[in-house]
Amino acid sequence: MKRIVIRRPGGHDALELVEEPDPPAAPGRVRVKVAAAGVNYADAVVRMGYYEAAKGLYPITPGFEFAGTVDAVGSGVTAFKTGDRVVGISRFGAYASALVVDPRQLWPCPEGWDLSECAAFPAVYLTAYYGLFKTAKVEPGERVLVHSAAGGVGTALLQLCRVAGCPAVAVVGAAHKVDLCRSLGAEAVIDRSSSDLWAEADRAAPDGYGAIFDANGVATLREGFKRLAPGGRLVVYGFADILPRGKAMPGLLDLAWNYLRVPRFSALEFKNRAVMGFNVVYLFEKLELAGEAMIRMLDWARQGRLKKVPVACFPVEKAAQAHASLESGTTQGKLVLTF
Ligand SMILES: NC(=O)c1ccc[n+]([C@@H]2O[C@H](COP(=O)([O-])OP(=O)(O)OC[C@H]3O[C@@H](n4cnc5c(N)ncnc54)[C@H](OP(=O)(O)O)[C@@H]3O)[C@@H](O)[C@H]2O)c1
């Protein structure tokens, strides 16, 4: 098997490809021949050494999601058989061409979705699901503002907003991302590279937003909070702009400077508005909860209620290129590594 290993945090050259014998399928476990593994922004943060849940786990193989074919089944497993096409989650480790996992980490792929499209599904959809339905608990009709809407989590949020009956206003950082957001049902798309983000956001929702999803951090949290309608929730689920755009290994000075600029909210400011945060990695250990969400969303995919988004494929040998591409901030949809 081939596997990416990060021996110690670093830039792109920290992603080392190693080859080793396939692991056997242990009793109660399933071995998957992985065709593709999703690339998430969090993987780059793991590589840099700043991902809290990965601390102390180096050398580490990154990766939260994968899709492939079952090629061996341990004794006692009845849920899957050799040859089944499966999509799965893993708390790290998915950048590997063979994985041995608990069958509760796997689900059958929807028909009509290829393995790359399936590998691109779990992490961003679980994040969007957890954010919309378990954190913000949106109600039909509530208007939602989605930052970085053409990216992995952003496109999943737009689609789940549609399913939830919530009009979504999409914000993107470049003109080439506008059409994708429109095609996914955004009510309005704001290209902040060519227009005044907050003037446009006010125009799109004069009465404010029921929920705002923000993984930028420093740049937009304070102004976003002001745009919440009474009862509105600002959901903070990432801090991309604490890491300088396109820098493979930010220095401590960069981090310290951006950290100092993180907005602080006073309890006196709230007035029926909330600031909330979550990390979906928590779900990767609560397999019952993750399973409930995956089964529901894969059904929506089967019914055609979730559209496929563009997936850029990189052979695993080009993992560094995939990370560089994601960190550039110019990608749309999802990226996967293929084996
Ligand atoms: N809390 C959780 O459980 C959880 C789970 C998954 C992901 N996340 C977070 O959600 C965010 C999106 O993740 P993703 O994997 O779906 O990535 P992505 O959205 O496909 O790509 C990142 C996007 O963020 C925007 N961005 C803002 N500041 C940036 C910077 N300094 N460098 C690069 N890009 C920047 C860019 O879009 P625009 O220029 O169009 O804004 C870029 O395309 C990340 O911050 C990630 O850490 C959190």
Side-chain angles (χ1 to χ4, degrees):
M1 62 178 280
K2 289 181 177 175
R3 178 163 80 90
I4 294 284
V5 178
I6 301 168
R7 297 196 189 280
R8 61 186 67 83
H12 299 135
D13 54 3
L15 297 165
E16 186 185 330
L17 185 63
V18 298
E19 291 197 29
E20 49 199 28
D22 280 354
R29 296 284 185 266
V30 172
R31 188 175 68 195
V32 179
K33 184 175 188 301
V34 175
V39 177
N40 290 283
Y41 196 81
D43 304 337
V45 184
V46 169
R47 192 202 71 232
M48 294 171 196
Y50 297 123
Y51 198 81
E52 200 52 42
K55 292 208 167 132
L57 301 181
Y58 296 77
I60 189 170
T61 292
F64 293 106
E65 57 188 348
F66 59 90
T69 312
V70 172
D71 79 340
V73 174
S75 57
V77 174
T78 52
F80 294 99
K81 60 180 187 324
T82 307
D84 285 349
R85 277 168 18 106
V86 288
V87 51
I89 60 172
S90 160
R91 187 171 166 142
F92 310 114
Y95 283 18
S97 64
L99 282 173
V100 173
V101 295
D102 184 323
R104 292 176 305 154
Q105 292 169 246
L106 299 175
W107 299 273
C109 294
E111 309 74 44
W113 286 56
D114 70 30
L115 291 173
S116 299
E117 290 160 345
C118 291
F121 189 91
V124 294
Y125 274 99
L126 283 172
T127 304
Y129 186 96
Y130 196 76
L132 275 171
F133 300 122
K134 301 287 184 188
T135 307
K137 299 192 173 163
V138 292
E139 298 285 345
E142 280 195 302
R143 188 160 278 104
V144 177
L145 184 78
V146 178
H147 287 285
S148 303
V153 179
T155 51
L157 279 167
L158 291 183
Q159 303 227 50
L160 293 187
C161 279
R162 209 181 53 228
V163 171
C166 295
V169 174
V171 180
V172 294
H176 68 275
K177 302 180 177 182
V178 170
D179 285 349
L180 175 60
C181 296
R182 287 226 171 88
S183 74
L184 297 177
E187 173 188 63
V189 185
I190 304 170
D191 171 9
R192 61 181 166 74
S193 70
S194 60
S195 56
D196 179 333
L197 162 57
W198 296 114
E200 293 294 320
D202 291 339
R203 212 183 330 272
D207 298 329
Y209 291 90
I212 297 182
F213 284 82
D214 191 321
N216 293 324
V218 180
T220 45
L221 286 178
R222 173 62 65 194
E223 288 300 313
F225 184 71
K226 294 182 194 161
R227 266 76 187 180
L228 292 176
R233 290 82 77 208
L234 172 61
V235 183
V236 186
Y237 68 99
F239 254 92
D241 65 11
I242 212 166
L243 304 168
R245 203 173 275 247
K247 228 182 193 183
M249 192 59 198
L252 283 178
L253 269 182
D254 291 324
L255 289 180
W257 167 239
N258 285 333
Y259 179 77
L260 288 175
R261 298 189 303 133
V262 172
R264 268 79 178 159
F265 294 94
S266 150
L268 294 174
E269 294 176 73
F270 284 132
K271 301 196 180 95
N272 293 330
R273 295 175 296 184
V275 179
M276 320 172 92
F278 72 94
N279 191 338
V280 81
V281 83
Y282 146 92
L283 263 196
F284 284 55
E285 286 193 337
K286 306 260 178 212
L287 290 177
E288 288 69 28
L289 288 180
E292 195 185 295
M294 282 294 287
I295 288 165
R296 227 172 147 200
M297 292 190 291
L298 288 168
D299 266 347
W300 291 335
R302 281 184 193 100
Q303 294 159 13
R305 295 176 76 190
L306 301 179
K307 294 187 189 174
K308 299 175 191 177
V309 296
V311 176
C313 296
F314 293 77
V316 68
E317 291 75 13
K318 300 214 161 133
Q321 219 167 297
H323 275 211
S325 185
L326 192 61
E327 288 156 30
S328 72
T330 59
T331 56
Q332 301 191 71
K334 279 280 298 193
L335 282 60
V336 300
L337 300 180
T338 54
F339 294 93

